[in-house]
Each structure stands twice: as structure tokens, then as C-alpha cells.
Amino acid sequence: MPFGVLVHFVAVTVEARTAPKREAILEATIRVLRDRGLSGLKVEEVAREAEVGKGTVYLYFQDKQDLLKALVEHHTFAYYRKVEEVVSRGGPFRERLAEVLRLRVDWVEEWRGLWAAVAREAQPEDTTGWLRGMHEHYQRLLERLVQEGKARGEVRPELDTCLTAASIAALACNPQLEFPREAYLEHLLEVLLKGVAL
Amino acid sequence: MPFGVLVHFVAVTVEARTAPKREAILEATIRVLRDRGLSGLKVEEVAREAEVGKGTVYLYFQDKQDLLKALVEHHTFAYYRKVEEVVSRGGPFRERLAEVLRLRVDWVEEWRGLWAAVAREAQPEDTTGWLRGMHEHYQRLLERLVQEGKARGEVRPELDTCLTAASIAALACNPQLEFPREAYLEHLLEVLLKGVAL
């Protein structure tokens, strides 16, 4: 992760911790977004939902774009915290991988349905760099999972940790198509664990 | 693939075959796009590059949006033809899979860099359905590959063909991050063939 991005994320996290009102506004924004969709999202509505004045919203966010950008980060890091919880839980690699895949498929569905549009509307100057910075965090969590899987003797030790984490990240990222959810998750796990070759 | 979409694709293909001028305009559009980027793409420029009058462009495409939509389809199906060529080639499953992964990673990179923006600008009424319709084609090609892999005794016969194809499609779809290309491709292949578990 480039240093600037890292500093930014640390700043976001620290700020979120020390500013419960900021967090309340972001949570209210998610509720408005779910109720009315992206086109119905207005700062007035967010303020009403968060039970603060419109001016208070502008204390924390420059404009709607800034709010949307913060929202995507907020939501993405909430997802990463769930992944981190699973990774930190310990226990068999297989079980943790299954949970991570499940969280990932949920996330991709939600992202495709709503968050990609929000991210687009947020129009950060450097979209690719911004998304990459966030994704890097996920990559690090998966590297930890692979590392621990190796330490437990459950992952092939000859595989490169970084690229194995990248392959796991890649695996669950698709698809445009919908498949029966449970069967698909089981299958992803099976293919990742044992491969397809005879 | 819904029937309407299928008819549309067939129509596009037939029309492309019978309309070399249409194809020339699309190819010229790609060159203009690569030279000047999406923001510099003007119908005048396309006409000049294709050595036709501006009116001729409008004979084949209603407007710029329609041209962009056709362009994404044209480019996507050119990619599918390459995949189809690899799948139809016969020979060991492993070699064909390696080639398909390579084409996919190229495609994803190019898509992320340029084509996603073009598709967005094209603004088809039903983006999800439109993308899904195209992806369905890719899924079918992969199912054929898996099926033949099973017939050759090179793929685990107990795996569901459809979901294995979906897993292969899912695998190479990521990532925001960049890894050393050859190492990454080899690793994807290794993980897909043998899995990560000890």
C-alpha cells in the first residue's frame, strides 16, 4: 500500500473512532441509500435520518461526493473487519476459508448491486488507486490466512503465500451469472482445496 | 441466454459478416479510442479514420452511444472467438486451460483499463442483463472445455461441469492488484489444477 493511502486509511479509522457523530451520519446514509436508492440520496434526507442539522453533515463531509467516498470506505472496512474476525479466529484452514469465501460472495453481490454505483458516483480523482488501496488490505488478510494454514500443515508449503492469497482473492470475485448459492460456495471451496485435475 | 439477447447477438454477427463497412467503422473506432481516449472520441474522427463520410457512420449506428455499445460487443466477441479457438484446438486440458487463463487475464486488464469505461459510457438500458448475456457465452465455452477434460480423463469426473466452468471463470477475474504476470499465471494454473490443500 502506498504510504499516502495508508496514512489516509489510518486517519479515516482514527477519525471514525473519535467521531461517533460522523459514524452515525454514515450509518444513516446507508439506510437512506437502501430505502431510496442512489438517485434519491439527498443531504437533507441523510441529516433527517441521522437526526442532525444539515450543517452538521457539512462539518464532516465537504459535499455529497465526499460523503459517498467516505461511505464506500466505511462499508468496505466493515467488511474487512468481518474477514479479519474470521481469519483471527484460528482453527482449521478449511473452515476459515469457507467463511471467507462466503463473506466474499456476499460482498461481491452487494457491490455489484449497489456499491459499484456508489463508488462511481463518488468519483474519487484516482479510482483505480483508491480501490487498489482498499483491496491491498484484503490481500494482507488472506496472506495471513495462508501463512497460518501452512503453519498448521494444512496448506501446501511449496506454494507462494502472496500469490496463493491473490488466487483466493481472484477466485471468489466473479461472476456476472447466478448459480445456486450453497452449491456454488461448496464448489469454490472444493476446487480451491483440491483442484480440478485427476 | 435469454432468447432476445441470443437473437440480438446472432443478428450482430450476421450483420457484421455482411457489412464490411460496419466492421471497418468499428475497427476505426478502436484505433481512435486507443489514440485519443474515450473523451477524445468523436464521430467525425471515427469517420475520418474509417475513410467514410460522417453520414455513413449514422447509417450503421444511431448515435455515439449506439456505436459504443456495438464496439463493446464487437470487442468482447473477438475475445470469445480467441477463447473458442483455444477450446476447439483439442489436446491436453492443462495446456488449453493455461491458454484460456492467459487470455482471461489479458482481457480483465484491458477491460479494467479501457472497456469498463466504454461500456459505462454506452449506457445500455439494462447493463447487468447486457453484460450477463455476453458472459453466458464465455461460460458455455468453459463448460465445453471441462466436459472435454473429463472425456480425456484429465478432470475429476465427480465435479459438476457447470460449476467447475463457473469457478474457472471466477478464478481469473480479479484483481485490483498487480502481480508478476508469468508467476501469477503459473500459480493460477497450479491452484486450479491441484488446489492448495495438503
Side-chain angles (χ1 to χ4, degrees):
Chain A
M1 191 185 292
F3 186 65
V5 176
L6 184 66
V7 166
H8 177 65
F9 284 145
V10 171
V12 166
T13 313
V14 170
E15 201 187 332
R17 268 194 211 129
T18 56
K21 211 171 256 183
R22 185 180 186 278
E23 184 124 356
I25 294 169
L26 288 171
E27 289 296 335
T29 311
I30 294 184
R31 290 195 298 274
V32 173
L33 206 55
R34 290 214 164 110
D35 278 3
R36 317 195 163 211
L38 187 54
S39 60
L41 187 74
K42 293 197 171 52
V43 172
E44 290 86 344
E45 286 299 325
V46 169
R48 192 173 317 159
E49 180 69 29
E51 301 183 350
V52 299
K54 200 173 150 185
T56 308
V57 177
Y58 288 114
L59 265 180
Y60 293 93
F61 307 99
Q62 280 174 23
D63 49 29
K64 188 173 151 184
Q65 241 172 269
D66 189 38
L67 174 64
L68 290 177
K69 190 160 170 283
L71 192 66
V72 172
E73 286 168 5
H74 176 74
H75 187 70
T76 304
F77 278 86
Y79 159 60
Y80 291 152
R81 275 194 298 276
K82 283 192 231 166
V83 175
E84 190 160 11
E85 207 187 287
V86 171
V87 171
S88 306
R89 187 186 293 163
F93 173 76
R94 183 197 177 90
E95 280 170 24
R96 284 188 278 171
L97 181 61
E99 268 307 301
V100 165
L101 287 181
R102 182 176 298 275
L103 287 170
R104 182 67 171 172
V105 167
D106 286 347
W107 170 253
V108 170
E109 261 163 39
E110 221 190 331
W111 181 265
R112 216 168 46 210
L114 174 62
W115 294 96
V118 177
R120 220 153 42 224
E121 187 88 2
Q123 296 179 323
E125 275 165 46
D126 171 20
T127 313
T128 311
W130 181 58
L131 292 175
R132 183 183 297 145
M134 291 195 275
H135 192 84
E136 187 97 21
H137 195 92
Y138 184 60
Q139 168 75 17
R140 293 295 159 261
L141 288 173
L142 294 182
E143 286 174 8
R144 219 177 106 196
L145 179 64
V146 172
Q147 199 59 60
E148 289 183 25
K150 284 185 181 176
R152 294 176 58 95
E154 294 167 3
V155 171
R156 293 161 58 194
E158 72 275 20
L159 292 180
D160 179 87
T161 298
C162 163
L163 291 179
T164 303
S167 301
I168 295 174
L171 184 62
C173 139
N174 206 26
Q176 309 282 347
L177 307 175
E178 279 153 43
F179 300 101
R181 185 184 161 73
E182 290 308 311
Y184 182 56
L185 279 167
E186 252 176 56
H187 200 90
L188 283 177
L189 185 64
E190 172 77 10
V191 166
L192 251 183
L193 288 174
K194 299 203 236 155
V196 302
L198 249 183
Chain B
M1 192 183 291
F3 185 65
V5 176
L6 184 66
V7 166
H8 178 65
F9 284 146
V10 170
V12 166
T13 313
V14 171
E15 201 186 333
R17 269 195 210 128
T18 56
K21 210 171 259 183
R22 185 180 187 278
E23 185 123 357
I25 294 169
L26 288 172
E27 289 295 335
T29 311
I30 294 184
R31 290 195 298 275
V32 173
L33 206 54
R34 290 215 163 109
D35 279 1
R36 317 197 163 210
L38 187 53
S39 60
L41 186 74
K42 293 197 170 50
V43 172
E44 290 85 345
E45 287 298 326
V46 170
R48 191 173 318 160
E49 179 71 29
E51 301 182 351
V52 299
K54 200 174 151 184
T56 308
V57 177
Y58 287 114
L59 265 180
Y60 292 93
F61 307 98
Q62 282 175 21
D63 49 29
K64 188 173 152 185
Q65 243 171 269
D66 189 38
L67 174 64
L68 290 177
K69 191 161 170 282
L71 192 66
V72 173
E73 286 168 4
H74 176 74
H75 187 68
T76 304
F77 278 85
Y79 159 59
Y80 291 152
R81 274 194 298 276
K82 283 192 230 164
V83 175
E84 190 160 10
E85 205 187 289
V86 171
V87 171
S88 307
R89 187 185 295 163
F93 173 75
R94 183 196 176 90
E95 279 170 25
R96 284 187 279 169
L97 181 60
E99 267 309 300
V100 166
L101 286 182
R102 181 176 299 276
L103 288 171
R104 182 66 172 171
V105 167
D106 286 347
W107 170 253
V108 170
E109 260 164 41
E110 220 189 331
W111 181 264
R112 217 168 44 212
L114 174 62
W115 294 95
V118 178
R120 224 159 31 229
E121 187 89 1
Q123 296 180 323
E125 273 165 47
D126 170 20
T127 311
T128 311
W130 181 58
L131 292 175
R132 183 183 297 146
M134 290 195 276
H135 192 84
E136 187 97 21
H137 196 91
Y138 183 58
Q139 169 74 18
R140 294 292 159 262
L141 289 172
L142 293 182
E143 286 174 9
R144 218 176 107 195
L145 179 64
V146 172
Q147 200 59 59
E148 289 182 26
K150 283 184 181 178
R152 294 175 59 93
E154 294 166 4
V155 170
R156 291 160 59 196
E158 72 276 19
L159 292 179
D160 180 88
T161 298
C162 163
L163 291 178
T164 303
S167 301
I168 295 174
L171 186 62
C173 142
N174 204 25
Q176 308 283 347
L177 307 175
E178 279 154 43
F179 300 101
R181 186 186 160 72
E182 290 308 311
Y184 182 57
L185 279 167
E186 250 177 59
H187 199 89
L188 283 178
L189 185 64
E190 172 78 9
V191 166
L192 251 183
L193 288 174
K194 298 203 237 155
V196 302
L198 249 183

